[in-house]
Amino acid sequence: MTQRTLSAQHPAAVGFSVLAGCLMLLVGAYHAIAGLVAIIDDDFYVVTRNYTYEFDTSAWGWIHLLSGVVVMAAAFGVFAARAWGRAIGMILAGASAVESFFFIPYYPVWSIVIIALDVIVIWALAVYGRQPSGQA
């Protein structure tokens, strides 16, 4: 029996990888833009009082900018259908969700949206490449 490609095994595999890559680009761009805003204007984000994980806004800006660039770079590994791209993509999506969780008091609605997108990325990368049940 010859070895088949993932797209030949399951037509949706390519769709899941494209979905995950596109969402990673979107999430990375959000992080980068949010980071630039925090770096340029310290007073843009207002945090609630007595927040346990309060950081300097510029520090959050640099964290978001760097993580956004890394997530966007990892998306190209996913687009190239590399196994390391999938693994790194899931790790970075999890880290992005945690980062967004800590950013909720600064920008709640978008942080929750990004967490939801990160969960979809993890799901899409986890099911990517699985054979459908009933196939050898």
Side-chain angles (χ1 to χ4, degrees):
M1 183 168 133
T2 62
Q3 187 172 4
R4 298 181 297 184
T5 64
L6 291 176
S7 61
Q9 290 177 0
H10 193 271
V14 174
F16 287 141
S17 68
V18 171
L19 170 71
C22 290
L23 288 178
M24 287 174 69
L25 285 175
L26 181 70
V27 167
Y30 166 75
H31 281 311
I33 291 169
L36 284 174
V37 168
I39 292 168
I40 293 169
D41 184 9
D42 280 345
D43 298 325
F44 183 80
Y45 297 112
V46 179
V47 69
T48 58
R49 292 179 9 174
N50 300 323
Y51 179 51
T52 305
Y53 302 106
E54 184 176 354
F55 286 103
D56 178 50
T57 309
S58 294
W60 270 119
W62 285 107
I63 290 169
H64 273 295
L65 180 62
L66 294 176
S67 69
V69 170
V70 171
V71 168
M72 285 191 293
F76 292 105
V78 171
F79 284 135
R82 305 285 186 218
W84 62 265
R86 286 179 33 218
I88 296 296
M90 285 190 280
I91 292 168
L92 289 176
S96 171
V98 170
E99 176 185 343
S100 294
F101 174 77
F102 287 117
F103 199 66
I104 286 175
Y106 294 91
Y107 219 61
V109 174
W110 281 110
S111 294
I112 292 171
V113 167
I114 294 302
I115 291 170
L117 292 176
D118 286 329
V119 169
I120 294 170
V121 167
I122 293 169
W123 173 80
L125 291 175
V127 300
Y128 169 73
R130 285 191 180 169
Q131 289 186 5
S133 60
Q135 286 191 2

